[in-house]
Amino acid sequence: MMHPRLQRLNISRWSGVLVLGVFLFAHVAGAADDAHIADLQKQIDQLEAQIEQIQKQQDQYRQNIAGTQAQAQTLQNKINDLNGQIRYLENQISLTGAQIDKTSAEIEKTQDTIGETSTKIDIQKRSIAEAILFLARQDKESLVVSLLKNTNISDFLRQAEYVHSVNADLLDLVADLGDAKAQLEDQKQTLEGKKQDLESFKQQQAGQKSALDQTKGETNTLLKSTKGQEAKYQDMLTDTEKLEQEVNVEIYNLQEELRKTIDPNSLPTARPGVFAWPIKGTVTQKYGCIETSFARKSYSLCNNGKGGFHDGLDIAAPYGTAIKAPADGTVVGFGSAPYAYGTWLAIQHDSGLVTVYGHMSVRVANTIGQRVKTGDVIGNVGTTGLTTGPHLHFMVYIPNTFRSQPSKISGTLPIGVPLNPNDYL
């Protein structure tokens, strides 16, 4: 469309045909681009509606998962819970795919707008060139010749004033269009970065679904091996809980051995804000000696048997929630402890403190020595190990106490002297 500055010009007879012709070409070219951009906007609107519908389905799946987890102590309900989590992840993958499609359409729309703006800039530059050529010819003509070409002196002066006015307005318009093009280039770069992040996230989700499918397969195998007999499953569950307690006792004893070697004066100063929260969720188990029947049954006894010692924070969140690095650091360990922390990861931060993340569904950071920045996704919330639902088991260790150690019972354990994470969050 024609710029407002040009619409206000009173084009004189001698140059009106030339300039108007140039801008009619711009208008026709712009109309075709506008139609394509309008079509892209329609696609974007449709994708937004699709995303909204998928998000509604997500909410329903999330509610279903919450309902089945409350009854997941039976084998069939455990499978139902897994099926719900798989549907939720499939829905998440569809949502991410729709967001990628929408972002791609936005990139294409922005690219078309950039092209349209570039065309307008070229057309205005040609108009300026025509005006400059006129002025150059005018400068070479004698005053007598110039006057003879015009009916009177007034026409001659109006033409000269008009050309100077058009030239100035076109220069301003080209500058404005140049600024608009630069902004569109920045917008396109931002959208391309967003699309790249979404593509990476989709790969993570596919990994989560693969891990969940494997868990479901293992549970189905268990169902077949017990021939659907709930009593057999409950016996196996009881045996598993005993193994869990034995592993927790093993961890507690190893931590206590390490604790005896620590000089209390060397402990890092506790202060809020050292770490950001790794996920947004609800703390369901605090750190320390918890005086409940569940804690006494699951953890090592403390406070003369009144409670069980819990070495971190349990933060409940939906399955697949991204876990983010709470501070800059380096990956120093990872492993799997089936009867304890499940899939876990350890990061040593620049402060010397080590953070550990348990029950992950997928571990994104999985190379010793890998550097992570605050906010980087390092994995996702899951139910690996022994859990009653998806959550993150978050631990903080005293500097120079972390080590990875094979368990006497199963898997590999993260061992260190734990601190209360709340003192550093």
Side-chain angles (χ1 to χ4, degrees):
M1 295 180 64
M2 194 176 296
H3 195 276
R5 284 199 182 98
L6 296 177
Q7 291 176 337
R8 292 197 298 269
L9 295 175
N10 181 18
I11 301 177
S12 63
R13 285 177 300 169
W14 66 268
S15 60
V17 174
L18 170 65
V19 176
L20 184 59
V22 171
F23 284 101
L24 281 174
F25 168 73
H27 180 73
V28 172
D33 289 335
D34 288 345
H36 188 217
I37 291 172
D39 183 58
L40 287 171
Q41 184 59 52
K42 184 178 179 181
Q43 293 180 37
I44 291 170
D45 292 341
Q46 291 172 344
L47 287 166
E48 284 180 345
Q50 181 183 350
I51 288 170
E52 184 178 355
Q53 182 62 35
I54 294 173
Q55 287 173 333
K56 288 180 180 178
Q57 293 174 354
Q58 267 196 311
D59 291 338
Q60 184 61 53
Y61 288 144
R62 194 179 290 115
Q63 292 174 11
N64 292 343
I65 290 171
T68 56
Q69 281 170 355
Q71 303 171 341
Q73 290 303 307
T74 68
L75 183 57
Q76 188 58 58
N77 280 329
K78 180 66 174 177
I79 293 173
N80 292 341
D81 178 40
L82 288 168
N83 285 333
Q85 292 177 17
I86 288 171
R87 286 193 296 272
Y88 176 74
L89 272 176
E90 289 172 341
N91 183 267
Q92 271 197 326
I93 292 169
S94 297
L95 174 61
T96 305
Q99 289 172 332
I100 290 171
D101 292 341
K102 178 190 170 187
T103 304
S104 297
E106 289 174 338
I107 291 171
E108 186 177 354
K109 176 187 173 185
T110 303
Q111 183 62 55
D112 281 4
T113 306
I114 291 171
E116 183 183 12
T117 304
S118 298
T119 300
K120 288 179 180 178
I121 290 173
D122 291 340
I123 292 171
Q124 309 317 329
K125 285 181 177 178
R126 288 199 294 272
S127 298
I128 293 172
E130 293 290 343
I132 291 173
L133 286 173
F134 170 79
L135 291 173
R137 288 194 299 269
Q138 188 184 56
D139 288 341
K140 292 178 182 178
E141 291 178 346
S142 66
L143 180 60
V144 174
V145 173
S146 296
L147 287 173
L148 288 174
K149 287 185 176 181
N150 293 277
T151 306
N152 53 48
I153 294 177
S154 296
D155 287 344
F156 168 74
L157 293 175
R158 278 198 300 271
Q159 290 171 4
E161 181 184 359
Y162 166 75
V163 171
H164 283 289
S165 174
V166 168
N167 197 34
D169 281 341
L170 286 173
L171 284 171
D172 289 344
L173 178 57
V174 168
D176 291 344
L177 289 170
D179 291 340
K181 182 181 177 183
Q183 291 176 1
L184 288 167
E185 293 284 4
D186 289 342
Q187 181 181 349
K188 180 187 174 187
Q189 188 174 1
T190 300
L191 287 169
E192 286 175 342
K194 177 182 175 182
K195 181 181 178 182
Q196 186 175 359
D197 290 342
L198 286 169
E199 292 282 7
S200 176
F201 184 47
K202 189 175 182 180
Q203 290 180 357
Q204 294 176 27
Q205 290 174 328
Q208 294 173 40
K209 184 176 181 297
S210 176
L212 199 56
D213 284 337
Q214 181 179 352
T215 303
K216 180 187 175 184
E218 293 170 353
T219 308
N220 276 324
T221 299
L222 180 60
L223 179 62
K224 291 177 182 178
S225 68
T226 60
K227 297 180 180 179
Q229 295 181 27
E230 188 62 31
K232 286 187 178 181
Y233 173 70
Q234 290 297 337
D235 288 342
M236 294 175 68
L237 191 61
T238 300
D239 292 340
T240 302
E241 289 172 348
K242 289 178 181 178
L243 287 173
E244 177 189 19
Q245 188 175 33
E246 289 176 13
V247 173
N248 281 325
V249 169
E250 180 184 8
I251 293 169
Y252 182 81
N253 290 335
L254 290 169
Q255 289 174 345
E256 284 301 298
E257 288 178 17
L258 279 174
R259 193 181 297 276
K260 294 174 184 178
T261 67
I262 299 299
D263 179 2
N265 296 322
S266 67
L267 296 180
T269 302
R271 58 182 179 85
V274 173
F275 296 128
W277 284 83
I279 61 170
K280 292 181 179 179
T282 303
V283 175
T284 54
Q285 290 267 28
K286 64 181 183 178
Y287 170 88
C289 191
I290 303 174
E291 296 186 1
T292 65
S293 59
F294 175 82
R296 287 192 295 273
K297 180 182 72 173
S298 303
Y299 311 132
S300 300
L301 296 178
C302 56
N303 194 12
N304 295 320
K306 294 180 181 179
F309 183 77
H310 189 234
D311 58 3
L313 288 181
D314 284 349
I315 309 171
Y319 191 98
T321 299
I323 303 169
K324 299 180 179 180
D328 294 356
T330 303
V331 175
V332 291
F334 56 83
S336 176
Y339 298 114
Y341 304 120
T343 299
W344 60 267
L345 173 73
I347 297 174
Q348 181 173 318
H349 300 279
D350 298 344
S351 62
L353 293 168
V354 174
T355 53
V356 179
Y357 312 81
H359 306 307
M360 303 168 86
S361 59
V362 173
R363 186 176 52 237
V364 176
N366 54 14
T367 303
I368 300 297
Q370 178 180 345
R371 286 291 295 175
V372 296
K373 295 289 187 181
T374 305
D376 284 353
V377 175
I378 56 175
N380 301 87
V381 170
T383 55
T384 56
L386 291 182
T387 69
T388 56
H391 71 277
L392 170 66
H393 182 70
F394 179 60
M395 296 180 286
V396 177
Y397 289 158
I398 292 175
N400 303 316
T401 64
F402 167 78
R403 68 173 185 257
S404 177
Q405 180 167 320
S407 168
K408 296 177 181 177
I409 299 169
S410 178
T412 304
L413 298 171
I415 300 298
V417 179
L419 296 166
N420 189 344
N422 274 322
D423 292 339
Y424 299 90
L425 290 167

